[in-house]
Amino acid sequence: MFIYQQLYKTEYQKQNLIIPQILVLNVLTVYFTFNLVSTWQDKMLYINESNVKDILTWEKTFEAVEVAMKRLSSGQTVQMPRTHTIIPGSDNVLLTMPGYLKDEKFGALGCKLVTYFPGNPKRTEALPSINANIMILDEATGIMKAVVAGTEITTQRTSAASAVATKYLYVNQGKACNILAILGTGIQGRIHAEMFRHFFHFQEIRLWNRTKEKAKSLAEELNRKFDTNVFKYYENNESCVRGADVIVTTTASPVHIVHYAWVKPGAHINAVGASRNHFSELDEQLYRNSDLYLDSVETMKPEMAGLDMLTDSLRGEVGAVINKMIPSSPNERPTIFNGGGMAVEDCAVGRAVYDLYHERKI
Ligand SMILES: NC(=O)C1=CN([C@@H]2O[C@H](COP(=O)(O)OP(=O)(O)OC[C@H]3O[C@@H](n4cnc5c(N)ncnc54)[C@H](O)[C@@H]3O)[C@@H](O)[C@H]2O)C=CC1
Ligand SMILES: O=C(O)C1=NCCCC1
């Protein structure tokens, strides 16, 4: 660039054309230099959270998660155990979640980087406790095609996993969807309340939270939003759970918040919350007296303390029920879906977002 400037400076100075010519040459030089040295690496796409929120529908997320569960249980995925990098002296953790899913529509090679910083919502400027990005890599070359913002995807796909489980383990058994109880009204509590209303049309949706005011204000907000009165706020977790057809736990509680004695026979439970003391929201008696289904047995083995003692309860994976490899539970024992969250779900939804982004030419 410097040489061009020197050459043209002397040649054009006399004709008073120096400034426009140098500008044009500089622009051309930058353009050609960039295109010679720039490669695929410099052109990687970032699909941000606003884009994801604009293009991703609950129906698409549900479909992608259903496919991911099916493919996992029929051996068409590779999902490595996730790593937990815990920041010393805190509850803050960075997880890496690599996975590969073979599927024409939702297949992808990817890896989610997700942080869980439980103090974030209490910051002066509140932030979500979970923040994520999903890398989507080219299956043939291993080159990164895009990074897709993964916070909204994590929110939606976690609730969609509960919805898929509820469909196959409960609704398809012809059981009633009258009362839904949701314990925990953070990000997951909210999305479960809205998504389950959307897909299953519950007549009453009960909300309980450790900080009672939050459950109250969410119930009021959602009743206003949907011009309804199906959302009810409960002060007490026991009365919230008693009589419910479907129960969802979405807290970081290290102690049990649902006890077997409170659960209606034949009810279905989605246990979503994962604290440092993983999957502790339900009491042991409930686990022992229920039919337990997981999203991935392999992935949950290292993470779910006490799983090896639940062999009598463990029926298998939801994907195996969808694939009709195992039957669902028609009996009066409660069913539990313990969804730990799967990398292949993130790959499937990430791929869907990547395709939608290009279809819409954003
Ligand atoms: N299984 C999965 O795929 C996923 C699981 N999660 C887990 O779900 C839980 C909720 O996540 P978000 O809604 O995004 O977080 P959030 O920070 O928005 O909400 C946390 C909720 O946990 C409650 N809580 C915290 N400590 C508690 C305690 N000691 N007793 C009772 N309630 C307590 C809070 O009141 C709040 O309702 C977390 O444990 C998170 O790790 C989140 C995303 C994916
Ligand atoms: O699957 C996920 O994503 C997560 N699961 C447990 C908590 C952090 C995020």
Side-chain angles (χ1 to χ4, degrees):
M1 204 183 337
F2 175 74
I3 296 170
Y4 279 127
Q5 281 173 356
Q6 293 306 309
L7 277 176
Y8 285 91
K9 198 175 180 180
T10 46
E11 192 173 327
Y12 285 107
Q13 246 169 351
K14 295 166 205 153
Q15 300 170 37
N16 273 342
L17 286 172
I18 179 166
I19 294 174
Q21 290 297 341
I22 286 178
L23 272 176
V24 169
L25 276 164
N26 277 350
V27 168
L28 287 173
T29 309
V30 168
Y31 176 79
F32 285 116
T33 310
F34 177 77
N35 275 279
L36 282 176
V37 297
S38 84
T39 64
W40 40 266
Q41 285 164 315
D42 302 316
K43 292 175 185 156
M44 197 202 61
L45 174 67
Y46 184 67
I47 304 180
N48 67 30
E49 286 293 344
S50 305
N51 297 148
V52 174
K53 284 181 185 160
D54 283 348
I55 57 185
L56 186 61
T57 62
W58 291 348
E59 279 73 17
K60 183 64 86 181
T61 307
F62 185 101
E63 190 190 349
V65 168
E66 192 174 35
V67 167
M69 285 178 161
K70 278 169 71 160
R71 296 274 177 258
L72 179 114
S73 296
S74 56
Q76 288 157 299
T77 63
V78 183
Q79 186 170 263
M80 306 312 291
R82 53 188 166 197
T83 63
H84 295 77
T85 304
I86 298 164
I87 299 173
S90 78
D91 283 332
N92 301 333
V93 56
L94 162 68
L95 295 94
T96 58
M97 299 177 61
Y100 171 70
L101 165 74
K102 194 165 178 55
D103 185 76
E104 183 103 358
K105 195 168 168 192
F106 293 107
L109 171 67
C111 183
K112 182 165 84 172
L113 267 187
V114 50
T115 51
Y116 180 50
F117 280 48
N120 273 359
K122 291 205 181 87
R123 295 173 77 94
T124 319
E125 201 176 322
L127 293 169
S129 47
I130 290 193
N131 291 281
N133 281 286
I134 303 163
M135 289 167 262
I136 302 289
L137 308 155
D138 187 289
E139 197 181 315
T141 62
I143 290 167
M144 182 118 74
K145 294 202 294 190
V147 175
V148 183
T151 304
E152 175 67 14
I153 292 180
T154 303
T155 301
Q156 285 198 25
R157 70 81 154 123
T158 305
S159 180
S162 300
V164 171
T166 303
K167 173 182 165 189
Y168 285 95
L169 301 177
Y170 185 82
V171 177
N172 284 2
Q173 303 300 313
K175 294 181 178 176
C177 284
N178 295 326
I179 301 175
L180 170 67
I182 297 180
L183 306 189
T185 56
I187 303 271
Q188 282 304 322
R190 173 190 288 270
I191 183 85
H192 276 81
E194 295 199 37
M195 200 185 269
F196 273 54
R197 175 189 171 272
H198 177 77
F199 284 126
F200 303 119
H201 316 291
F202 282 91
Q203 287 159 22
E204 185 181 333
I205 300 179
R206 300 173 175 176
L207 304 173
W208 171 86
N209 196 66
R210 180 179 54 166
T211 314
K212 296 168 184 56
E213 295 70 37
K214 285 191 185 156
K216 187 167 186 278
S217 72
L218 183 62
E220 287 167 358
E221 182 195 322
L222 294 180
N223 281 330
R224 260 197 317 275
K225 180 172 174 182
F226 296 107
D227 192 19
T228 179
N229 60 1
V230 298
F231 298 97
K232 313 263 190 233
Y233 133 77
Y234 275 69
E235 285 210 3
N236 173 281
N237 48 332
E238 177 176 348
S239 48
C240 184
V241 164
R242 279 192 187 274
D245 301 301
V246 174
I247 299 156
V248 185
T249 58
T250 68
T251 75
S253 174
V255 297
H256 313 316
I257 52 170
V258 179
H259 294 274
Y260 175 61
W262 307 345
V263 175
K264 184 175 158 178
H268 173 69
I269 302 160
N270 299 293
V272 175
S275 74
R276 281 287 289 277
N277 229 351
H278 259 55
F279 310 108
S280 45
E281 294 168 302
L282 316 181
D283 78 5
E284 193 182 319
Q285 210 192 349
L286 182 50
Y287 275 114
R288 290 199 182 282
N289 289 291
S290 302
D291 286 348
L292 173 63
Y293 296 84
L294 305 174
D295 44 7
S296 160
V297 174
E298 275 312 300
T299 311
M300 291 297 269
K301 260 187 206 159
E303 292 196 6
M304 199 172 154
L307 183 60
D308 50 344
M309 279 135 60
L310 293 172
T311 44
D312 288 345
S313 298
L314 183 59
R315 294 284 166 273
E317 289 162 353
V318 173
V321 176
I322 305 175
N323 291 333
K324 299 192 167 50
M325 295 153 73
I326 56 168
S328 180
S329 307
N331 56 33
E332 286 302 284
R333 274 163 76 88
T335 47
I336 299 173
F337 167 58
N338 242 120
M342 301 201 291
V344 292
E345 293 166 345
D346 299 311
C347 289
V349 185
R351 160 74 189 273
V353 167
Y354 181 84
D355 287 351
L356 286 168
Y357 184 90
H358 286 95
E359 276 165 31
R360 304 260 178 104
K361 295 192 176 62
I362 290 176

